[in-house]
Structures are given as C-alpha cells and as structure tokens.
Amino acid sequence: MEFRYLGVSDLKVSVVGLGTWQFSESWGVTNYEDAKKIVEKAIDVGINLFDTAAVYGRGMSETFLGRALKELGAREDVIVATKLPGEFLSRHDVFKGTKRCLERLGTDYIDLMQVHWPPLWNNFPTCEYMRALEELVHQGVIRYIGLSDFPVELMDSAWACLSTEDPVSNQVRYNLVERDAEKEIIPYAEANGWSILAWSPLAKGALTGKYTPDNLPEFKDVRAGSALFHPDNFRQVYEVVKLLREVGERHGKTPGQVALNWLIMASDTIVVIPGAKTPEQVEENVGAADWRMTFDEWLALEEASSKVRISNVVW
Ligand SMILES: NC(=O)c1ccc[n+]([C@@H]2O[C@H](COP(=O)([O-])OP(=O)(O)OC[C@H]3O[C@@H](n4cnc5c(N)ncnc54)[C@H](OP(=O)(O)O)[C@@H]3O)[C@@H](O)[C@H]2O)c1
C-alpha cells in the first residue's frame, strides 16, 4: 500500500482510505456485523485511514467503526478521522460534540477532527471554533485539526485563528467528473502543505462501470434525485466510464480502480476515501494504489473528463 503524510503531520495514511458514511440509513449498511466485515477487510488489505462523522447515521457510523476497531484490536494501528457538523461549532458544543464522538468511537483520542462544513446559519465566528479545537489538541483529546468543504478564503482565515497548530487537511468533493477542487483548493493545499481528502472519489458509484444509461436503477438511498445520475448528466459521465474501461483493460484494472488512480496521480496532496458496502468493494478499491497508468492514458482521461459538465439544475 502506498502512503502519504497527512499535511505537515507525522501521520502516514494509506493513499486509499475507507469512507464510512455507508454505515447509515443514507447508504444502507445498518447491520453491525456487515460493517465489521468491511472494516476488517480494509485493515487486512492495508488501509489505515478511516473517515467517519458525527452526522453519519446520527452516530451509527462512529459507533460501528469504534466497536469494530476495538473488537479487532486495531485502534492503535489506525487513523480515525471524524467530523463535527457546522451546527456544533459554538465553543461549548465543540467540547460537548467531541465528547460524544469519543464515547461513540469508544476511544480517548481522535487522530483527525474535521470541521464538517463551515457554519451556515448559526453565525459562529471562525476563531471561536478553531480556538476550541486547538484547546482540544492541547488536552490530547484530538491529535490534528482538519477542515471539510471549506473554500480557500475560509481555509486561510481558519488557519490564521490558530496559535500553536496547523490544520493538516481539507476534505472536499473530488472525482473525475466533478473537478472544481482543482481550481483553487488543490493549488492552495499544494502551496501550503495541506492534504486533500477526496470524498465521493467514485462519483457515488457512477464511475465504477456497473451503472449504464440503459441500466440506471431508481435509487432508494442518498442518490435518489442526485444530479450525477440525472440522464442528462449521466450520459456524459458514461463517456468517461467507457474510457476508464479501455484503460483498465490494458492494466488488468476495473474502471473504478482507474478512476481512483487518476486522482492519486493528479496531485501528491490527494488521499482518496471511497465508501464501500461490501468487503469485496474495499478489496477492489485498494487496487487503485501501487501502480500508474501511462501519461497518455492520464491525458486521454483528462481531456474526456474536461468535457463533462455536471449541471445541478435538474429541476
Ligand atoms: N465531507 C463531506 O462533506 C463528505 C461528503 C460525502 C462523502 N464523504 C466521505 O467520503 C466517503 C466516500 O464518498 P461517497 O460515499 O459519497 O461516494 P463514493 O466513495 O464515490 O461511492 C461510494 C459508493 O460506490 C459504490 N462502490 C464503492 N466501491 C465500489 C466498487 N469497488 N465496485 C462497485 N461499486 C462500488 C458503493 O455503492 P453501490 O454499491 O450501492 O453502488 C458505495 O457506496 C464517504 O463514505 C464519507 O466518508 C464526505
């Protein structure tokens, strides 16, 4: 497994991590034993980065992940990244929310605490929650601070609030057909030594090749009504999938593995955190690391995906 440092920290994380939003009603892995098998497989195949959040299944994801790591005796060997939602960012709620995360995860420290999204409705000053997080680092309760879904202006101002710590990462949407993070966020990360945790790196499964324009299910999960799978958008996505398949055939790889490999190649700051609903999917996803497509193949995908224009105006 390839590893990359998380920002300026001493944490070496597998370049393919595991996203665990899937442990929730939103995605459907709501049976603990199923979740445990996914976590166990991830550890077996060399993943050491596990991404969760307080809001995933209202605590279900953290509870399942923490319990599985404890039962597998793996807590000390892995890096647990969780998140506080934008609504939990008053000073007292940063402390209370973190305490709840610790209880659900069954641990006394969190490796990476991320601000899930900036406060939108609550008017919390940026420095109020950043300073509270920094105090938690001083207490030894969290090891590093990360952001999620922050634009560069707020990355900058959030960082300026800290006196002893540096944020190590911003977690943002990044996949071959939704590449807006390349415009400002990834260059900022490169210039300032941050990592980018790429969420929805498989475009919620759209890049795996198992969905086709003629075989688009009526999703009953979080993807119901999703712009990515709207026929006008998905027709374009599918052109990229065809090329992913072609490239993959030359390397003995699946379209999803090629899609993740392309992201890993795009910038040294990138770590991908695909979600998985089965151990088999985890095993397949780690096959995105430890190889490289050729520059010509990379460029063909660059050009094909640049033509895709996902529109969110679908109603
Ligand atoms: N910070 C944020 O705001 C934010 C937002 C979203 C997600 N995230 C994080 O990012 C993680 C990943 O993002 P995501 O779950 O939105 O999307 P994703 O990783 O792009 O897609 C995950 C879905 O793709 C399908 N899949 C995965 N591996 C596969 C394989 N090998 N073969 C075929 N299908 C496969 C599975 O669904 P099916 O089998 O049902 O198709 C799986 O649930 C989440 O778990 C979460 O930790 C963070």
Side-chain angles (χ1 to χ4, degrees):
M1 171 60 80
E2 282 179 74
F3 290 87
R4 287 180 173 170
Y5 282 101
L6 201 58
V8 293
S9 81
D10 58 353
L11 297 185
K12 253 180 149 176
V13 296
S14 49
V15 75
V16 178
L18 179 73
T20 65
W21 184 16
Q22 277 58 26
F23 306 164
S24 65
E25 279 85 10
S26 303
W27 281 97
V29 182
T30 53
N31 174 296
Y32 168 67
E33 290 303 329
D34 293 339
K36 183 179 174 186
K37 286 186 193 124
I38 292 170
V39 173
E40 185 168 23
K41 175 59 76 176
I43 292 168
D44 281 356
V45 295
I47 289 176
N48 78 343
L49 173 65
F50 292 83
D51 181 69
T52 180
V55 296
Y56 295 163
R58 283 189 164 241
M60 183 190 291
S61 169
E62 288 183 324
T63 305
F64 282 6
L65 176 64
R67 183 174 158 196
L69 292 174
K70 193 169 258 181
E71 288 177 7
L72 295 165
R75 173 66 190 95
E76 308 276 295
D77 306 325
V78 302
I79 288 150
V80 173
T82 190
K83 315 184 194 80
L84 289 174
E87 287 72 35
F88 289 9
L89 296 179
S90 64
R91 177 180 165 80
H92 61 91
D93 272 352
V94 168
F95 298 147
K96 186 172 167 186
T98 301
K99 186 166 152 43
R100 293 265 164 88
C101 292
L102 289 166
E103 287 164 359
R104 284 189 293 264
L105 284 161
T107 184
D108 54 8
Y109 69 99
I110 288 160
D111 299 282
L112 177 68
M113 178 58 97
Q114 303 156 102
V115 180
H116 204 153
W117 58 82
L120 299 176
W121 329 110
N122 302 70
N123 310 312
F124 306 132
T126 307
C127 285
E128 176 168 326
Y129 58 86
M130 291 306 288
R131 175 62 189 161
L133 288 169
E134 191 168 52
E135 288 176 62
L136 289 175
V137 176
H138 300 162
Q139 300 285 334
V141 170
I142 63 180
R143 293 177 72 192
Y144 292 99
I145 300 168
L147 304 175
S148 171
D149 304 320
F150 271 55
V152 289
E153 292 81 359
L154 268 182
M155 291 168 81
D156 228 20
S157 50
W159 193 357
C161 295
L162 299 179
S163 22
T164 60
E165 307 305 310
D166 294 315
V168 295
S169 55
N170 192 12
Q171 181 177 143
V172 295
R173 184 201 311 258
Y174 186 45
N175 62 59
L176 248 175
V177 292
E178 294 173 299
R179 294 174 48 190
D180 293 296
E182 290 172 5
K183 294 171 186 164
E184 294 183 327
I185 293 172
I186 293 173
Y188 180 99
E190 286 172 347
N192 292 288
W194 293 40
S195 287
I196 295 294
L197 271 55
W199 64 256
S200 289
L202 293 167
K204 294 199 156 38
L207 293 171
T208 61
K210 72 179 168 195
Y211 302 115
T212 67
D214 305 327
N215 169 30
L216 261 186
E218 277 230 4
F219 288 111
K220 301 258 185 303
D221 55 26
V222 70
R223 293 171 287 192
S226 143
L228 261 173
F229 292 93
H230 185 278
D232 292 348
N233 289 323
F234 190 73
R235 250 192 303 278
Q236 302 174 58
V237 172
Y238 198 63
E239 292 307 306
V240 176
V241 172
K242 286 194 265 182
L243 189 52
L244 288 169
R245 196 180 295 287
E246 260 179 61
V247 172
E249 276 165 8
R250 288 198 285 274
H251 294 273
K253 296 287 178 185
T254 63
Q257 290 170 331
V258 178
L260 296 175
N261 189 261
W262 192 93
L263 300 182
I264 294 167
M265 286 176 74
S267 168
D268 289 345
T269 63
I270 306 286
V271 171
V272 297
I273 49 165
K277 288 166 72 176
T278 62
E280 291 73 26
Q281 289 184 350
V282 181
E283 190 155 22
E284 179 179 330
N285 295 341
V286 294
D290 296 307
W291 67 283
R292 292 292 182 265
M293 70 187 82
T294 66
F295 174 65
D296 284 351
E297 290 165 339
W298 187 87
L299 189 56
L301 283 164
E302 147 74 27
E303 285 171 359
S305 68
S306 298
K307 292 188 194 126
V308 177
R309 285 179 57 174
I310 301 294
S311 172
N312 287 298
V313 186
V314 292
W315 48 268

